[in-house]
Coordinates of all heavy atoms in Angstrom, one line a residue:
K122 N 41.7 46.1 86.5 CA 41.0 47.4 86.7 C 41.1 47.8 88.1 O 40.8 49.0 88.6 CB 39.6 47.2 86.3 CG 39.4 47.0 84.9 CD 38.0 46.9 84.4 CE 38.0 46.6 82.9 NZ 36.8 46.6 82.4
Q123 N 41.7 47.0 89.1 CA 41.8 47.3 90.4 C 43.1 48.2 90.6 O 44.1 48.0 89.7 CB 42.1 46.0 91.4 CG 40.8 45.2 91.4 CD 40.0 45.4 92.6 OE1 40.4 46.0 93.5 NE2 38.8 44.7 92.5
S124 N 43.3 48.9 91.6 CA 44.5 49.7 91.9 C 45.6 48.7 92.3 O 45.3 47.6 92.8 CB 44.2 50.8 93.0 OG 44.0 50.1 94.2
L125 N 46.8 49.2 92.2 CA 47.9 48.4 92.6 C 47.8 48.2 94.2 O 48.1 47.1 94.7 CB 49.3 49.2 92.4 CG 49.8 49.2 90.9 CD1 50.9 50.0 90.8 CD2 50.1 47.8 90.4
K126 N 47.3 49.1 94.9 CA 47.1 48.9 96.3 C 46.1 47.7 96.6 O 46.5 46.8 97.4 CB 46.7 50.3 97.0 CG 46.6 50.1 98.5 CD 46.2 51.6 99.1 CE 46.1 51.5 100.6 NZ 47.2 51.0 101.3
N127 N 45.1 47.8 95.8 CA 44.1 46.6 96.0 C 44.7 45.3 95.6 O 44.5 44.3 96.3 CB 42.8 46.9 95.3 CG 42.0 48.0 95.9 OD1 42.2 48.4 97.0 ND2 41.0 48.4 95.1
I128 N 45.4 45.3 94.6 CA 46.1 43.9 94.1 C 47.1 43.5 95.2 O 47.1 42.3 95.6 CB 46.8 44.2 92.8 CG1 45.7 44.3 91.8 CG2 47.7 42.9 92.5 CD1 46.1 44.7 90.2
S129 N 47.9 44.5 95.8 CA 48.8 44.1 96.8 C 48.1 43.5 98.0 O 48.6 42.7 98.7 CB 49.8 45.2 97.2 OG 49.1 46.3 97.9
E130 N 46.9 44.2 98.4 CA 46.2 43.6 99.5 C 45.6 42.3 99.3 O 45.5 41.5 100.1 CB 45.0 44.7 99.8 CG 45.5 46.0 100.5 CD 44.4 47.1 100.6 OE1 43.3 47.0 100.1 OE2 44.7 48.2 101.1
I131 N 45.2 42.0 98.0 CA 44.7 40.7 97.7 C 45.8 39.6 97.9 O 45.6 38.6 98.5 CB 44.2 40.6 96.2 CG1 42.9 41.5 96.1 CG2 44.0 39.2 95.8 CD1 42.5 41.7 94.7
I132 N 47.0 40.0 97.4 CA 48.2 39.1 97.6 C 48.5 38.9 99.0 O 48.7 37.8 99.4 CB 49.3 39.7 96.8 CG1 49.0 39.6 95.2 CG2 50.6 38.8 97.1 CD1 50.0 40.3 94.4
S133 N 48.4 39.9 99.8 CA 48.8 39.9 101.2 C 47.8 38.9 102.0 O 48.3 38.1 102.8 CB 48.7 41.3 101.8 OG 49.0 41.2 103.3
K134 N 46.5 39.1 101.6 CA 45.5 38.2 102.3 C 45.7 36.8 101.9 O 45.5 35.9 102.8 CB 44.1 38.7 101.9 CG 43.7 40.0 102.5 CD 42.3 40.5 102.0 CE 42.0 41.8 102.6 NZ 40.8 42.4 102.0
Q135 N 46.1 36.5 100.7 CA 46.3 35.2 100.3 C 47.5 34.5 100.9 O 47.4 33.4 101.4 CB 46.4 35.0 98.7 CG 45.1 35.5 97.9 CD 45.3 35.4 96.4 OE1 46.4 35.8 95.9 NE2 44.2 35.2 95.7
V136 N 48.5 35.3 101.0 CA 49.8 34.8 101.6 C 49.6 34.6 103.2 O 50.1 33.6 103.7 CB 51.0 35.7 101.3 CG1 52.2 35.2 102.1 CG2 51.2 35.6 99.8
T137 N 48.9 35.5 103.7 CA 48.5 35.3 105.2 C 47.6 34.1 105.4 O 47.9 33.3 106.3 CB 47.7 36.6 105.7 OG1 48.6 37.7 105.6 CG2 47.4 36.3 107.1
Q138 N 46.7 33.8 104.5 CA 45.9 32.6 104.5 C 46.8 31.3 104.5 O 46.7 30.3 105.2 CB 44.8 32.5 103.5 CG 43.9 31.3 103.6 CD 43.2 31.4 105.0 OE1 42.7 32.2 105.4 NE2 43.2 30.2 105.7
I139 N 47.8 31.3 103.5 CA 48.7 30.3 103.3 C 49.6 30.0 104.5 O 49.7 28.9 105.0 CB 49.6 30.5 102.1 CG1 48.8 30.4 100.9 CG2 50.8 29.6 102.1 CD1 49.5 30.9 99.5
D140 N 50.0 31.1 105.1 CA 50.8 31.1 106.3 C 50.0 30.4 107.5 O 50.5 29.5 108.2 CB 51.3 32.5 106.8 CG 52.3 32.4 107.8 OD1 53.2 31.5 107.9 OD2 52.4 33.4 108.7
N141 N 48.8 30.9 107.6 CA 47.8 30.3 108.7 C 47.6 28.8 108.5 O 47.6 28.1 109.3 CB 46.6 31.1 108.8 CG 46.8 32.6 109.3 OD1 47.7 32.7 110.0 ND2 45.9 33.3 109.0
D142 N 47.4 28.4 107.2 CA 47.1 27.1 106.8 C 48.4 26.2 107.2 O 48.2 25.1 107.7 CB 46.8 26.9 105.3 CG 45.4 27.5 105.0 OD1 44.6 27.8 105.9 OD2 45.1 27.5 103.8
L143 N 49.5 26.7 106.8 CA 50.8 26.0 107.2 C 50.9 25.7 108.6 O 51.3 24.6 109.1 CB 52.0 26.7 106.6 CG 53.3 26.1 106.9 CD1 53.4 24.8 106.2 CD2 54.4 27.0 106.5
K144 N 50.6 26.8 109.4 CA 50.7 26.6 110.9 C 49.7 25.6 111.4 O 50.2 24.8 112.3 CB 50.4 28.0 111.5 CG 51.6 29.0 111.4 CD 51.2 30.3 111.9 CE 52.3 31.4 111.6 NZ 51.8 32.8 112.0
A145 N 48.6 25.6 110.9 CA 47.5 24.7 111.3 C 47.9 23.2 110.9 O 47.8 22.3 111.8 CB 46.2 25.0 110.8
R146 N 48.4 23.1 109.7 CA 48.8 21.7 109.2 C 50.0 21.2 109.9 O 50.2 20.0 110.2 CB 49.0 21.7 107.7 CG 47.6 21.9 107.0 CD 47.7 22.0 105.4 NE 46.4 22.3 104.9 CZ 46.1 22.1 103.7 NH1 47.1 21.6 102.8 NH2 45.0 22.4 103.1
A147 N 51.0 22.1 110.2 CA 52.2 21.7 110.8 C 51.8 21.2 112.2 O 52.4 20.3 112.7 CB 53.1 22.9 110.8
S148 N 51.0 22.0 112.9 CA 50.5 21.6 114.2 C 50.0 20.2 114.3 O 50.3 19.4 115.1 CB 49.6 22.6 114.8 OG 49.2 22.3 116.1
A149 N 49.0 20.0 113.3 CA 48.4 18.8 113.3 C 49.3 17.6 112.9 O 49.3 16.6 113.5 CB 47.3 18.7 112.1
Y150 N 50.2 17.9 112.0 CA 51.2 16.9 111.6 C 52.2 16.5 112.8 O 52.4 15.4 113.1 CB 52.1 17.4 110.4 CG 53.2 16.5 110.1 CD1 53.1 15.3 109.4 CD2 54.5 16.8 110.5 CE1 54.1 14.5 109.0 CE2 55.6 16.0 110.2 CZ 55.5 14.9 109.5 OH 56.4 14.1 109.2
N151 N 52.6 17.6 113.5 CA 53.4 17.4 114.7 C 52.7 16.6 115.8 O 53.4 15.7 116.4 CB 54.0 18.7 115.2 CG 55.1 19.3 114.2 OD1 55.7 18.6 113.4 ND2 55.1 20.6 114.3
N152 N 51.4 16.8 115.9 CA 50.7 16.1 116.9 C 50.6 14.6 116.5 O 50.7 13.7 117.3 CB 49.3 16.7 117.1 CG 49.2 17.9 117.9 OD1 50.2 18.3 118.6 ND2 48.3 18.7 117.7
L153 N 50.3 14.4 115.3 CA 50.2 12.9 114.8 C 51.5 12.3 114.9 O 51.6 11.1 115.2 CB 49.7 13.0 113.3 CG 48.2 13.2 113.1 CD1 47.9 13.3 111.6 CD2 47.4 12.1 113.6
K154 N 52.6 13.0 114.6 CA 53.9 12.3 114.6 C 54.3 12.1 116.0 O 54.8 11.0 116.4 CB 54.9 13.4 114.1 CG 56.3 12.7 113.9 CD 57.2 13.8 113.1 CE 58.6 13.3 113.0 NZ 59.5 14.3 112.2

Side-chain angles (χ1 to χ4, degrees):
K122 292 184 180 183
Q123 297 263 351
S124 68
L125 287 176
K126 184 169 179 58
N127 287 352
I128 292 173
S129 71
E130 288 170 355
I131 292 168
I132 293 169
S133 179
K134 287 177 186 171
Q135 289 174 334
V136 174
T137 299
Q138 185 60 50
I139 291 168
D140 191 37
N141 292 337
D142 289 349
L143 176 65
K144 288 174 185 170
R146 291 177 186 198
S148 176
Y150 174 78
N151 290 333
N152 286 340
L153 284 172
K154 190 174 177 181

